[in-house]
């Protein structure tokens, strides 16, 4: 029935002469911006398949950048053609890594912890052809809600067969009750609000002894843990050697592909120890620029995969991978 209708319409259209240019512009409908399709991107790193999963897009206030005059922030954003209308556009990404032996999720997005504009990791994971039950390991770079909230929904594990890992230092900072009194009073309410979100996300895994911690020197499913403290006290990155390259899942050692690459000494309000966060970034960027590891980053423009380049060893450039079919 449908086929016949289609054939009829084709022969109907072809029986008309071509329209003149003036006539086409007159009848062309206004094309409205549609919702973008991209939500996952698959990158083959030798024998390992990495699927970048978009959680959504956030807009940061430029005033969140620290130890840099605001004027300079705006100049850098302008230089990189970064749209400033709604703030500084920031992606939230997570990464699904199929090693052939294991299906590992690195970070998990914000779920509903920050509003409806984020929380698409689970939908995009399914769109990429995977099922949440297949994920056996979740590696969290740190426990901020935009990395941990995506593991659960309303007290249930989104990934029922996965074991969740974070560093022992990170668990101590957020989950040890003795820590609360050490947090400066001005920041305590924010800290406790964050703790509540972290506890809710981890609870279904803890109930099944599926939340585990690691320390420096450990290796999980072939991922080497790298201490990158500063942004949070127990922040870690993960390095995975494939048969073609080393991929480093850096977490939040950087939040901006413009300001913090151009001026890597620029801290951000979310850093718990800004000086240490800057030192960590300088050390890691120098290493990445020298050795050329492939980088997967949760807050660089989606898919957040690329390389770090430096011409002078002082400022850096983000080199995103090319779209590949
Ligand atoms: Zn983050």
């Amino acid at each position: 029935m449908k086929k016949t209708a289609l054939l009829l319409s084709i022969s109907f259209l072809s029986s008309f002469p071509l329209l003149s240019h003036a006539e086409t512009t007159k009848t062309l409908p206004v094309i409205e911006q549609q919702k973008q399709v991209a939500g996952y991107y698959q990158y083959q790193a030798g024998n390992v398949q990495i699927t970048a999963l978009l959680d959504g897009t956030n807009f940061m206030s430029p005033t969140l950048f620290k130890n840099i005059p605001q004027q300079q922030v705006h100049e850098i954003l302008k230089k990189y053609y970064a749209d400033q209308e709604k703030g500084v556009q920031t992606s939230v990404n997570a990464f699904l890594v199929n090693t052939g032996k294991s299906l590992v999720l690195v970070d998990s997005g914000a779920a509903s912890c920050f509003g409806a504009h984020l929380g698409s990791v689970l939908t995009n994971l399914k769109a990429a052809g995977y099922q949440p039950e297949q994920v056996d390991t979740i590696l969290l770079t740190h426990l901020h809600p935009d990395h941990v909230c995506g593991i659960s929904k309303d007290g249930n594990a989104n990934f029922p067969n996965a074991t969740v890992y974070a560093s022992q230092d990170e668990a101590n900072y957020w989950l040890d009750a003795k820590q609360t009194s050490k947090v400066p009073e001005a920041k305590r309410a924010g800290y406790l609000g964050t703790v509540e979100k972290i506890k809710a996300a981890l609870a279904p895994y803890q109930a099944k002894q599926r939340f585990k911690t690691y320390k420096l020197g450990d290796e999980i499913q072939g991922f080497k843990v790298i201490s990158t403290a500063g942004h949070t006290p127990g922040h870690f990155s993960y390095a995975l050697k494939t048969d073609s390259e080393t991929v480093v899942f850096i977490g939040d050692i950087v939040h901006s592909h413009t300001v913090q690459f151009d001026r890597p000494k620029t801290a951000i309000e979310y850093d718990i120890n800004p000086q240490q966060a800057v030192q960590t970034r300088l050390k890691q960027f120098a290493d990445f620029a020298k050795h050329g590891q492939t980088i997967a980053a949760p807050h660089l423009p989606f898919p957040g995969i690329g390389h770090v380049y430096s011409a002078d060893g002082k400022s850096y450039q983000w080199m995103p991978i090319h779209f590949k079919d």
Side-chain angles (χ1 to χ4, degrees):
M1 183 71 186
K2 260 186 194 163
K3 213 175 183 181
T4 326
L6 185 70
L7 285 172
L8 278 173
S9 65
I10 289 170
S11 58
F12 175 75
L13 282 172
S14 58
S15 65
F16 280 84
L18 285 174
L19 296 170
S20 73
H21 178 69
E23 280 165 324
T24 26
T25 47
K26 238 189 279 168
T27 54
L28 196 67
V30 176
I31 299 178
E32 281 177 40
Q33 166 81 54
Q34 298 183 31
K35 199 169 161 41
Q36 307 283 13
V37 178
Y40 65 89
Y41 180 81
Q42 292 186 325
Y43 174 79
Q44 197 68 34
N47 55 336
V48 170
Q49 186 201 57
I50 298 168
T51 308
L53 303 169
L54 180 67
D55 198 47
T57 300
N58 228 353
F59 289 92
M60 286 187 327
S61 164
T63 59
L64 292 173
F65 291 112
K66 297 289 161 195
N67 29 335
I68 183 169
Q70 271 300 295
Q71 180 60 29
Q72 236 173 63
V73 170
H74 289 291
E75 278 165 17
I76 296 170
L77 290 171
K78 214 175 150 195
K79 183 168 91 179
Y80 287 89
Y81 295 94
D83 178 11
Q84 299 183 50
E85 204 185 315
K86 289 190 257 177
V88 184
Q89 186 175 349
T90 311
S91 289
V92 178
N93 314 315
F95 299 94
L96 187 67
V97 186
N98 186 345
T99 68
K101 289 184 198 139
S102 189
L103 191 61
V104 180
L105 182 64
V106 185
D107 290 328
S108 70
S112 56
C113 280
F114 289 118
H117 59 298
L118 298 176
S120 297
V121 158
L122 201 58
T123 318
N124 286 328
L125 179 142
K126 290 177 192 165
Y130 287 100
Q131 291 306 317
E133 292 78 17
Q134 295 172 311
V135 176
D136 53 70
T137 306
I138 299 173
L139 300 178
L140 300 172
T141 54
H142 62 302
L143 293 177
H144 271 158
D146 55 323
H147 300 257
V148 68
C149 282
I151 66 173
S152 300
K153 192 180 187 229
D154 304 328
N156 296 311
N158 281 337
F159 304 94
N161 301 316
T163 301
V164 177
Y165 292 85
S167 79
Q168 185 59 53
D169 291 344
E170 190 70 359
N172 290 347
Y173 181 75
W174 298 106
L175 303 174
D176 184 348
K178 289 196 288 280
Q179 181 58 38
T180 312
S181 60
K182 293 181 201 160
V183 175
E185 222 176 311
K187 300 215 163 176
R188 205 167 293 161
Y191 168 81
L192 289 172
T194 304
V195 166
E196 211 171 294
K197 289 175 182 172
I198 296 169
K199 283 187 172 169
L202 292 177
Y205 296 88
Q206 284 176 313
K208 290 184 173 178
Q209 280 80 47
R210 283 180 177 273
F211 174 60
K212 294 189 177 167
T213 58
Y214 58 79
K215 52 188 186 335
L216 199 62
D218 288 350
E219 205 176 286
I220 308 149
Q221 307 287 11
F223 290 73
K224 189 181 143 203
V225 305
I226 305 166
S227 173
T228 44
H231 177 63
T232 63
H235 188 285
F236 268 72
S237 306
Y238 302 98
L240 180 68
K241 244 191 191 144
T242 78
D243 61 8
S244 69
E245 63 213 82
T246 296
V247 185
V248 186
F249 299 85
I250 61 172
D252 285 9
I253 68 166
V254 66
H255 289 77
S256 161
H257 72 294
T258 55
V259 179
Q260 288 182 311
F261 271 79
D262 203 279
R263 303 285 162 101
K265 290 181 180 169
T266 308
I268 197 157
E269 180 66 30
Y270 315 125
D271 292 336
I272 290 172
N273 184 335
Q275 287 87 0
Q276 194 187 16
V278 166
Q279 288 315 310
T280 292
R281 181 166 41 258
L282 294 176
K283 181 177 169 221
Q284 295 300 320
F285 274 19
D287 182 67
F288 301 151
K290 188 175 172 198
H291 296 108
Q293 299 95 320
T294 302
I295 303 303
H299 296 309
L300 297 182
F302 180 78
I305 302 174
H307 295 88
V308 174
Y309 169 78
S310 180
D312 57 9
K314 287 182 189 136
S315 71
Y316 293 85
Q317 263 176 286
W318 175 239
M319 304 295 202
I321 46 153
H322 279 215
F323 180 91
K324 246 196 214 171
D325 264 333

